């Protein structure tokens, strides 16, 4: 793994954190006051800041920092998360997302907007929070960080190593240890008094290690004061009894000396005195019975946890020696004693706190059970698995078919085994598909942002209500859903909702509501987008359609048919091109991208009450349930979802209409017949309808068509294979699949076929038209 | 850089030679994934004449090109003796229907002669050069040009 | 023998950076995603030093350090706190919980290794 990969991980993580951030803020906006929600929101920003810092993404860091500071005020109850506050925060979340995108993909952000939000965030943090430590702006807090060392003399507080970042370790070099002995006497000298407190050891610091690090700064001598060492009967292994006086000559300066004790700062008394030249090492504290001790670093190379008895100086540490004697003897090398003290501390700890530990573990387990365990898997691996299962399904079908063909008895143990295999295969397939299934939540969350932005631009007041966010659908579908949905939301706010004053005049609340819901219905996901706006102005739509030659001036259209005209290419009723819909994207594009996903979209509208867009999409793009049919000797698959019913036409129900058109009468209404074989150019002339089967299909723009095929072979679930991967898009064909005989069958694009059959006015909508 | 061009930068490359009618052609062996027998293809609506359809190659939908028709010659009438050379250019895999594989050649860059200037569409589009091997003339095919092209893809 | 470092951090980015940095420096690295997991893996991991984040879901760094210190076996293990937190109050709390040292993110690999060397024998 290199830094680039980690960076990629960082950006992935950012996306997750941004989603977390937004959903948390929205929950707060809905009145959620769970501290954990605030914590999660804080953590999200905090995490982004942390990672961004690691990659030197300064813009991101500084914005995240200000954001985090304000969030911390909320977290510590110094700032009430009112709607106003949350509005600023939601916008900040958007800017944070922009900054992340820019950091990843380049480009630039709206500087004015982010500067403005920084000001607003800072104002929030300042305005409502107590001025002191409440806002942990690092620079302001830094002086407070320093003087905390309890008993430490003044120099510690003033030590510059405690910078505005807290305990930022100051790098020091180990290289110089032992070098350039001859010049040592010229170096500045310091006297250091180091008196550890018991806490030093309980926090995992070791006086020996501190002395070791200190020794790396220059030549030093150590005096150990053991006066406070009590008799063994009174000895508390948890207490620190020793203190040291150290003389050192170093050119690294006092800061370097202090930085050695940085982590121990609060748990020891430390005095560092710079000496004048010549004064060095004279040891002015003669009243203290200190004796020079050799500083033996080699002892540190051994196992730190070695038993006390295993110490180099054998003559002094006879195995039988009394513990107190051993201790005193060992004290001749400071490090040995310390090691012993450390060991003693560790040993004594063994007797204590077992119950407390158990309690802590209990808590931990409880917390653990809250979240279902998940693992993170590369999408490639899942896709590979899905492909393999697809192969398995095809293979299983091929096997079944050849067994059936070769097994004249029909009933055999092989058949039973095959049935079980089929069942298992299906189950494996479903399980694998479930891996790719994801809640629509992230897409819905993105829509919240879209709503905010458009509300801002249009000056409308809008509330987005979402429902069924946890409805799951294949990841590919989710990925492709965002764009059409964004466009529809824009339309709903821009064209659907009225301005506040107009709403009030109509007796509606000034704030408009856009509602986005998702649910599963008969093996598909249904997404509904509704608004409580003015609804479709049918008169205007109709006029526009007439102006654009979409319909005849005297056309007799139902309300539903008029509403659905907005999906036609080039159709736009907005009198001025607003900067929202200004990209020249109409609802026809939305419709086409939904269709490309094997979906359908419809609108129903109620004047004065708003519109509802209903999209129905397949749960997966990997398999579909299809009807296998024969057309001009070819096998085709028609998606089952498109088929309303199948008919066996008789001669009496077929009526010629004009030169080439034929209609079929179904329960007193006439429905155009479409010969699939002819439209796909599989045959030169239309087949005789009476010799085939008609599939009554529902097409997108309303209205039905009867698709003529030669015969129905049966229904089955098929694995969808891309034609585009090695070939190109084929008009009228949605994809391919592989059937039980191992041959490729094409999956019919019903909507494209219907559109192609529809006639002049809708030519541009038809992808077949371009094919020629 | 195409895979073909890349492979031509070094001396000593291998080519697979095959027959269509009385002519011989070759492609770089590096572009060939496998050679397999002819299986009936599923025809594609609205496809150019030279696209015979698609077959199932271990789960992948593989378009089959009648190379004879593609090169402007008489469309093939596939039989069980025909073979499909499965080739890959960039990330697309396409099967080329030919009559038979005739040879595997090891040649040097110098062996490739420029195509004679006849300004025919064939030579401009598909021929990368010609080789003289044992008194035979073998035409080196520009694979990329043979692949179904993306005029329609762009839409 | 390689020294073992247990890192506890909820950020995948930071976990990966720690992993790379520590492995390159010759440490054996065990990773946990939050305080709860940190305590769970503690026994099996048997680390020589712990590097932990403060802000984490489920169980934060303070709680984690306290939990470690309550375990008799890890009473005196060095614990370095790795976090972007920079105010005195948080630092103080970490220390009271039993943290040995403090490293501020974004960490410089050299400084991280330095700090670990400093608290381990």
């Amino acid at each position: 793994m290199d830094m680039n990969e980690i960076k990629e991980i960082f950006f992935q993580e950012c996306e997750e954190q941004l989603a977390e951030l937004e959903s948390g803020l929205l929950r707060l906006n809905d009145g959620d006051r769970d501290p954990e929600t605030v914590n999660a929101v804080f953590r999200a920003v905090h995490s982004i800041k942390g990672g961004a810092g690691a990659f030197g993404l300064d813009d991101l860091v500084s914005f995240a920092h200000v954001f985090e500071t304000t969030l911390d005020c909320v977290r510590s109850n110094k700032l009430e998360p009112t709607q106003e506050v949350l509005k600023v925060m939601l916008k900040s979340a958007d800017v944070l997302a922009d900054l992340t995108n820019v950091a990843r993909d380049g480009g630039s952000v709206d500087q004015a907007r982010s500067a403005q939000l920084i000001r607003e965030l800072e104002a929030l943090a300042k305005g409502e929070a107590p001025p002191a430590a409440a806002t942990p702006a690092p620079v302001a807090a830094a002086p407070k960080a320093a003087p905390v060392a309890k008993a430490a003399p003044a120099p510690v507080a003033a030590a510059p190593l405690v910078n505005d970042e807290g305990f930022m370790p100051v790098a020091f070099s180990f290289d110089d240890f032992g070098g350039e002995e001859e010049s040592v006497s010229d170096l500045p000298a310091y006297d250091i008094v180091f008196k550890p407190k018991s806490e030093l050891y309980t926090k995992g610091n070791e006086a020996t290690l501190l002395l070791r690090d200190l020794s790396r700064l220059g030549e030093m001598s150590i005096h150990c004061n053991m006066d406070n060492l009590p008799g063994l009967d009174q000895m508390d292994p948890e207490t620190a009894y020793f203190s040291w006086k150290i003389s050192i000559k170093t050119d690294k300066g006092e800061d370097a000396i202090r930085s050695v004790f940085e982590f121990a700062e609060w748990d020891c008394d430390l005095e560092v005195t710079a000496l004048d030249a010549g004064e060095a090492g004279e040891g002015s504290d003669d009243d203290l019975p200190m004796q020079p001790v050799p500083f033996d670093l080699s002892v540190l190379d051994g196992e730190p946890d070695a038993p006390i008895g295993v110490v180099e100086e054998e003559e002094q540490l006879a195995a039988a020696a009394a513990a107190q004697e051993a201790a005193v003897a060992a004290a001749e090398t400071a490090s040995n004693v310390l090691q012993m003290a450390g060991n003693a501390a560790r040993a004594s700890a063994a007797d204590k706190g077992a119950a407390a530990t158990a309690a802590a573990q209990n808590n931990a387990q409880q917390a653990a059970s809250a979240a279902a365990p998940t693992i993170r898997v590369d999408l490639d691996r899942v896709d590979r698995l899905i492909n393999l299962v697809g192969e398995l399904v095809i293979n299983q079908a091929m096997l079944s078919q050849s067994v059936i063909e070769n097994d004249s008895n029909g009933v055999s143990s092989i058949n039973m085994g095959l049935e079980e295999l089929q069942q298992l295969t299906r189950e494996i397939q479903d399980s694998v598909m479930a891996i790719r299934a994801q809640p629509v939540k992230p897409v819905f969350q993105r829509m919240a942002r879209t709503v905010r932005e458009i509300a801002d631009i249009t000056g409308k007041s809008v509330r987005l209500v979402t429902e069924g966010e946890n409805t799951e659908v294949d990841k590919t579908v989710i990925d492709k859903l965002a764009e059409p949905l964004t466009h529809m939301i824009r339309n709903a706010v821009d064209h659907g909702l009225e301005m506040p004053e107009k709403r009030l005049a109509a007796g509606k609340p000034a704030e408009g509501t856009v509602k986005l819901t998702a649910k599963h219905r008969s093996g598909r996901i249904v997404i509904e987008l509704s608004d409580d706006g003015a609804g479709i102005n049918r008169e205007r739509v109709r006029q526009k359609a007439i102006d654009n030659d979409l319909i005849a001036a005297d056309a007799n259209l139902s309300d539903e048919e008029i509403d659905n005209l907005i999906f036609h290419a080039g159709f736009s009723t907005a009198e001025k091109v607003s900067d929202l819909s200004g990209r020249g994207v109409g609802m026809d594009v939305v419709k086409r991208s939904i269709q490309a996903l094997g979906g359908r979209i419809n609108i129903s509208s109620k004047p004065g009450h708003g519109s509802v867009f209903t999209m129905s999409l397949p749960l997966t793009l990997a398999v579909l349930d299809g009807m296998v049919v024969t057309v001009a000797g070819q096998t085709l698959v028609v998606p089952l979802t498109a088929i309303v019913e199948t008919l066996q036409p008789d001669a009496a129900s077929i009526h010629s209409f004009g030169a080439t058109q034929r209609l079929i009468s179904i329960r007193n209404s006439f429905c155009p017949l479409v010969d699939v074989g002819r439209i796909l150019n599989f045959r030169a002339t239309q087949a005789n309808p009476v010799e085939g089967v008609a599939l009554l299909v529902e097409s997108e723009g309303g209205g039905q068509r009867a698709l003529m095929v030669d015969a129905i072979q049966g229904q089955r679930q098929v694995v969808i294979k891309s034609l585009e991967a090695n070939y190109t898009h084929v008009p009228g064909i949605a994809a391919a699949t592989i059937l039980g005989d191992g041959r490729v069958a094409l999956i019919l694009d019903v909507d494209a076929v219907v559109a192609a059959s529809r006639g002049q006015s809708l030519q541009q909508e038809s992808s077949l038209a371009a094919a020629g | 850089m195409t895979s073909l061009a890349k492979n031509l930068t070094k001396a000593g490359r291998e080519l697979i030679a095959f027959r269509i009618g009385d002519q011989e052609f070759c492609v770089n062996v590096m572009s060939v994934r496998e050679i397999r027998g002819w299986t009936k293809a599923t025809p594609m609506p609205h496809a150019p004449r030279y696209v015979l359809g698609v077959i199932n190659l271990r789960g992948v939908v593989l378009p089959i090109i009648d190379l004879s028709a593609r090169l402007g010659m008489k469309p093939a009438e596939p039989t069980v003796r025909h073979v499909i050379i499965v080739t890959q250019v960039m990330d697309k895999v396409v099967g080329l229907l030919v009559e038979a594989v005739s040879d595997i050649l090891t040649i040097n860059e110098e062996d490739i002669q420029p195509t004679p200037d006849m300004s025919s569409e064939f030579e401009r589009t598909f021929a990368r050069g010609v080789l003289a091997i044992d008194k035979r003339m073998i035409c080196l095919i520009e694979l990329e040009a043979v692949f179904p092209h993306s005029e329609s893809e762009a839409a | 023998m390689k020294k073992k470092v247990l890192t506890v951090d909820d950020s995948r980015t930071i976990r990966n950076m720690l992993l790379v940095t520590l492995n390159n420096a010759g440490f054996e690295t065990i990773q946990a995603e939050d305080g709860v997991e940190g305590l769970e893996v503690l026994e099996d991991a048997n680390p020589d030093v712990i590097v932990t984040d403060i802000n984490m879901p489920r169980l934060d760094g303070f709680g984690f350090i306290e939990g470690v210190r309550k375990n008799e076996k890890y009473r005196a293990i060095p614990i370095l706190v790795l976090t972007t937190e920079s105010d005195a109050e948080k630092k103080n709390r970490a220390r009271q919980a039993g943290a040995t040292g403090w490293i501020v993110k974004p960490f410089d690999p050299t400084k991280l290794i330095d700090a670990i060397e400093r608290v381990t024998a």
Side-chain angles (χ1 to χ4, degrees):
Chain A
M1 172 143 358
D2 62 19
M3 284 314 269
N4 281 336
E5 287 172 74
I6 298 180
K7 202 166 178 179
E8 203 33 59
I9 290 172
F10 164 67
F11 285 121
Q12 282 171 13
E13 200 174 7
C14 277
E15 268 177 31
E16 293 158 17
Q17 300 290 356
L18 287 166
E20 189 72 27
L21 169 65
E22 182 161 9
S23 72
L25 288 173
L26 290 171
R27 278 204 300 279
L28 293 174
N29 207 19
D30 290 342
D32 181 348
R33 288 293 176 270
D34 183 352
E36 189 37 46
T37 307
V38 184
N39 280 335
V41 163
F42 178 87
R43 268 200 310 272
V45 177
H46 183 77
S47 240
I48 291 172
K49 181 179 128 182
F55 296 106
L57 306 170
D58 296 340
D59 289 351
L60 197 50
V61 172
S62 51
F63 190 85
H65 179 74
V66 176
F67 197 177
E68 179 194 64
T69 303
T70 310
L71 282 169
D72 198 38
C73 293
V74 176
R75 195 167 66 148
S76 52
N77 294 320
K78 286 162 190 150
L79 177 63
E80 173 69 18
T82 59
Q83 301 263 324
E84 282 311 300
V85 168
L86 284 162
K87 202 172 170 194
V88 173
M89 291 196 164
L90 281 163
K91 283 188 200 167
S92 303
D94 295 344
V95 168
L96 198 62
D98 288 347
L99 285 165
T100 311
N101 287 340
V102 166
R104 174 177 9 203
D105 307 325
S108 61
V109 290
D110 184 344
Q111 295 286 352
R113 188 164 183 232
S114 66
Q116 172 61 25
L117 279 166
I118 286 179
R119 281 194 296 277
E120 286 176 30
L121 285 170
E122 280 171 343
L124 286 177
K126 278 195 203 107
E128 305 216 25
T135 40
V139 180
K144 296 197 175 303
V148 181
K150 284 168 271 178
V156 173
L161 67 98
V162 184
N163 61 10
D164 62 344
E165 293 276 54
F167 274 78
M168 175 73 88
V170 174
F172 54 85
S173 165
F174 293 157
D175 304 342
D176 305 274
F177 180 52
E180 298 187 64
E181 301 270 333
E182 66 277 10
S183 62
V184 154
S185 55
D186 301 331
L187 295 174
Y190 301 87
D191 268 357
I192 302 159
V193 177
F194 168 50
K195 191 166 184 296
K197 297 176 184 171
S198 305
E199 290 84 10
L200 182 89
Y201 301 109
T202 64
K203 284 172 189 159
N205 264 309
E206 293 270 0
T208 43
L209 299 177
L210 298 172
L211 294 176
R212 174 195 66 182
D213 288 350
L214 194 59
S215 75
R216 288 171 179 166
L217 295 179
E219 183 188 276
M220 71 176 195
S221 64
I222 302 173
H223 292 70
C224 178
N225 181 358
M226 291 176 289
D227 268 13
N228 293 335
L229 189 68
L232 183 63
D233 48 340
Q234 290 154 3
M235 203 182 207
D236 175 357
E238 298 236 299
T239 304
Y241 294 107
F242 304 106
S243 62
W244 284 268
K245 189 180 167 216
I246 304 129
S247 301
I248 188 165
K249 286 179 179 169
T250 176
D251 58 354
K252 304 286 189 299
E254 190 173 326
D255 291 352
I257 294 172
R258 290 199 178 275
S259 79
V260 168
F261 294 95
E262 179 188 351
F263 293 157
E265 171 185 51
W266 293 350
D267 303 315
C268 70
D269 292 338
L270 181 70
E271 279 177 57
V272 180
T273 320
L275 301 178
D276 296 335
E279 206 186 330
E282 278 174 20
S284 52
D285 295 308
D286 287 334
D287 47 330
L288 288 176
M290 286 203 169
Q291 44 185 296
V293 290
F295 189 78
D296 181 8
L297 273 177
S298 68
V299 76
L300 289 167
D301 297 334
E303 265 293 306
D305 286 327
I308 295 169
V310 187
V311 180
E312 315 262 292
E313 292 85 347
E314 286 176 341
E315 72 278 9
Q316 288 174 326
L317 274 178
Q324 188 179 7
E325 282 170 351
V328 174
E332 295 206 346
T333 66
S335 48
N336 287 353
V337 170
L338 276 165
Q339 193 177 337
M340 187 183 77
N343 284 329
R346 285 192 186 104
S348 93
D351 304 326
K352 298 189 177 183
T357 307
Q361 281 171 350
N362 248 347
N363 286 343
Q365 274 160 10
Q366 275 169 8
S369 64
T374 55
I375 57 162
R376 188 166 285 282
V377 183
D378 249 11
L379 203 54
D380 284 352
R381 292 194 193 180
V382 176
D383 287 347
R384 185 169 153 67
L385 186 60
I386 286 177
N387 280 335
L388 283 172
V389 172
E391 294 315 292
L392 182 65
V393 171
I394 292 163
N395 253 292
Q396 174 266 319
M398 287 166 67
L399 187 61
S400 298
Q401 187 156 334
S402 65
V403 167
I404 290 163
E405 281 163 7
N406 293 313
D407 180 15
S408 47
N409 310 333
V411 190
S412 71
S413 57
I414 295 175
N415 269 333
M416 276 175 59
L418 271 177
E419 257 168 52
E420 273 170 36
L421 178 64
Q422 186 173 0
Q423 182 64 26
L424 280 172
T425 312
R426 187 76 183 233
E427 276 175 34
I428 291 174
Q429 192 170 25
D430 289 348
S431 310
V432 171
M433 293 304 170
I435 297 177
R436 278 190 66 107
Q438 306 241 303
V440 293
K441 195 171 174 181
V443 182
F444 277 25
Q445 279 177 342
R446 278 167 72 179
M447 296 311 125
R449 171 179 186 166
T450 307
V451 167
R452 280 196 296 281
E453 285 177 351
I454 297 157
D456 257 15
I457 297 173
T458 56
K460 292 175 183 173
S461 176
V462 191
R463 196 164 66 100
L464 178 73
V465 178
T466 56
E467 241 174 55
E469 295 184 310
N470 291 322
T471 311
E472 290 191 338
V473 64
D474 191 286
K475 195 184 180 312
T476 333
V477 178
I478 291 183
D479 292 346
K480 292 183 176 166
L481 206 52
E483 213 178 301
L485 216 44
T486 304
H487 192 75
M488 290 169 68
I489 293 246
R490 287 181 172 182
N491 261 304
V493 177
D494 195 18
H495 303 314
L497 295 178
E498 314 92 326
M499 293 303 285
E501 52 272 25
K502 209 171 162 190
R503 290 180 62 88
L504 287 170
K508 295 187 202 177
E511 186 181 55
T513 301
V514 173
K515 192 172 171 191
L516 193 55
T517 66
K519 61 188 167 220
H520 282 150
R521 199 163 64 199
S522 48
R524 287 169 81 85
I525 184 169
V526 175
I527 295 173
E528 255 181 33
L529 175 71
S530 59
D531 65 69
D532 65 348
I536 288 201
N537 184 338
R538 296 204 176 106
E539 211 27 66
R540 217 165 73 193
V541 168
R542 194 190 153 85
Q543 192 51 51
K544 184 99 183 178
I546 294 168
D547 294 349
N548 289 7
D549 284 336
L550 294 181
I551 54 170
D554 56 353
N556 184 16
L557 297 178
S558 68
D559 287 352
E560 197 196 338
E561 282 171 317
I562 295 175
D563 290 349
N564 280 291
L565 284 172
I566 65 162
F567 290 116
H568 289 165
F571 192 92
S572 172
T573 57
E575 273 149 15
K576 56 171 183 172
V577 176
S578 75
D579 50 349
L580 298 175
S581 344
R583 281 199 260 155
V585 182
M587 289 303 287
D588 59 317
V589 176
V590 169
K591 183 178 178 178
R592 238 179 288 145
S593 44
I594 297 290
Q595 284 175 341
L597 291 172
R600 288 194 292 266
I601 182 166
N602 266 300
I603 180 177
S604 72
S605 183
K606 211 171 158 192
H609 290 86
S611 309
V612 184
F613 287 91
T614 309
M615 282 165 281
S616 139
L617 294 155
L619 291 178
T620 170
L621 301 180
V623 292
L624 67 77
D625 284 302
M627 184 171 283
V628 185
V629 300
T630 312
V631 176
Q634 299 300 321
T635 300
L636 287 175
V637 177
V638 185
L640 217 48
T641 46
I643 300 173
V644 180
E645 62 176 303
T646 58
L647 307 161
Q648 193 73 60
D650 54 42
S653 62
I654 309 291
H655 310 275
S656 287
F657 186 71
T660 54
Q661 286 273 36
R662 280 171 303 174
L663 303 178
I664 179 169
S665 61
I666 306 164
R667 292 177 288 272
N668 291 329
S669 71
F670 295 98
C671 177
L673 268 179
V674 179
D675 181 1
V676 175
R678 178 73 199 96
I679 222 155
L680 292 182
N681 219 6
F682 281 167
R683 52 186 162 222
T685 55
Q686 298 207 0
N688 182 359
V690 183
E691 286 166 11
V693 185
L695 309 176
L696 192 63
V697 295
E698 185 86 56
S699 82
E700 293 310 319
Q704 295 183 331
R705 289 291 186 280
L707 299 189
M708 288 305 311
V709 300
D710 300 351
I712 292 175
Q713 296 180 19
Q715 288 180 16
R716 68 150 41 126
Q717 189 181 51
V718 297
V719 177
I720 299 173
K721 294 279 175 184
S722 160
L723 267 181
E724 277 96 336
N726 290 319
Y727 191 51
T728 64
H729 174 73
V730 180
I733 300 300
T737 188
I738 294 163
L739 293 179
D741 60 3
R743 292 197 51 197
V744 177
L746 302 175
I747 301 172
L748 200 68
D749 182 345
V750 171
D751 288 321
V753 167
V754 169
S757 73
R758 202 176 267 159
Q760 287 297 327
S761 68
L762 297 179
Q763 272 294 308
Q764 12 0 2
E765 210 186 18
S766 144
S767 44
L768 282 180
Chain B
M1 187 186 272
T2 70
S3 58
L4 191 61
K6 206 183 310 172
N7 289 321
L8 281 172
T9 54
K10 286 218 164 177
R13 74 216 69 257
E14 288 193 331
L15 304 172
I16 286 190
F18 48 85
R19 262 187 322 102
I20 299 174
D22 55 358
Q23 298 187 33
E24 262 191 295
F25 301 89
C26 62
V27 293
N28 194 306
V29 78
M30 300 303 287
S31 307
V32 175
R33 295 237 313 228
E34 64 180 279
I35 295 168
R36 48 166 300 152
W38 160 251
T39 20
K40 203 168 175 328
T42 301
M44 306 281 277
H46 308 291
R49 284 171 64 90
Y50 60 82
V51 175
L52 291 170
V54 287
I55 64 164
N56 164 25
L57 181 72
R58 289 182 300 279
V60 174
V61 175
L62 183 77
I64 303 297
I65 289 176
D66 174 358
L67 195 57
S68 178
R70 181 63 172 136
L71 298 179
M73 299 183 289
K74 173 164 77 70
E77 281 159 26
T79 66
V80 283
R81 285 190 303 278
H82 278 76
V83 293
I84 291 168
I85 301 178
V86 181
T87 59
Q88 177 164 17
V89 171
M90 312 297 267
D91 54 351
K92 298 227 170 193
V93 184
V94 167
L96 305 177
L97 180 82
V98 302
E99 268 168 42
V101 169
S102 53
D103 211 347
I104 293 184
L105 312 165
T106 306
I107 58 136
N108 293 312
E109 182 67 34
E110 311 85 78
D111 298 337
I112 304 172
Q113 306 170 18
T115 40
D117 181 14
M118 294 185 297
S119 75
S120 74
E121 194 198 332
F122 164 77
E123 154 251 311
R124 275 202 314 274
T125 318
F126 304 113
R128 202 190 147 70
V130 289
L131 293 155
I133 310 266
D134 306 334
K135 294 179 188 164
R136 295 180 290 167
M137 190 202 73
I138 303 175
C139 173
L140 180 58
I141 297 279
E142 178 77 86
L143 260 187
E144 254 184 302
V146 167
F147 272 42
H149 255 270
S150 37
E151 311 102 84
S152 51
E153 258 176 24
Chain C
M1 211 180 72
K2 276 188 174 181
K3 283 205 191 87
K4 269 199 218 171
V5 185
L6 168 64
T7 74
V8 188
D9 200 310
D10 59 328
S11 156
R12 237 177 326 148
T13 311
I14 301 294
R15 278 204 303 280
N16 278 298
M17 295 194 74
L18 284 169
L19 188 68
V20 171
T21 308
L22 293 172
N23 285 355
N24 286 346
F27 292 97
E28 187 180 335
T29 314
I30 305 113
Q31 301 201 298
E33 294 186 13
D34 57 33
V36 172
E37 196 191 349
L39 290 178
E40 280 168 3
V41 302
L42 186 60
E43 279 299 326
D44 285 342
N46 194 18
D48 297 302
V49 59
I50 296 172
V51 178
T52 180
D53 187 23
I54 286 294
N55 269 292
M56 293 182 288
R58 300 208 290 169
L59 181 64
D60 66 13
F62 305 128
F64 169 69
I65 296 170
E66 278 162 16
V68 173
R69 291 292 181 229
K70 277 175 193 154
N71 183 330
E72 65 275 15
K73 199 170 153 198
Y74 300 102
R75 190 89 196 269
I77 189 173
I79 304 177
L80 293 173
V81 172
L82 174 69
T83 179
T84 52
E85 293 297 346
S86 50
D87 71 316
E89 192 200 336
K90 299 242 170 48
K91 203 163 56 175
N92 203 359
R93 269 191 68 192
R95 186 158 292 271
Q96 272 162 8
T100 309
W102 188 280
I103 308 161
V104 174
K105 284 191 268 190
F107 67 86
D108 170 339
T110 333
K111 285 177 182 170
L112 172 76
I113 302 304
D114 254 24
I116 291 176
E117 299 274 3
R118 193 188 291 188
V119 296
T120 53

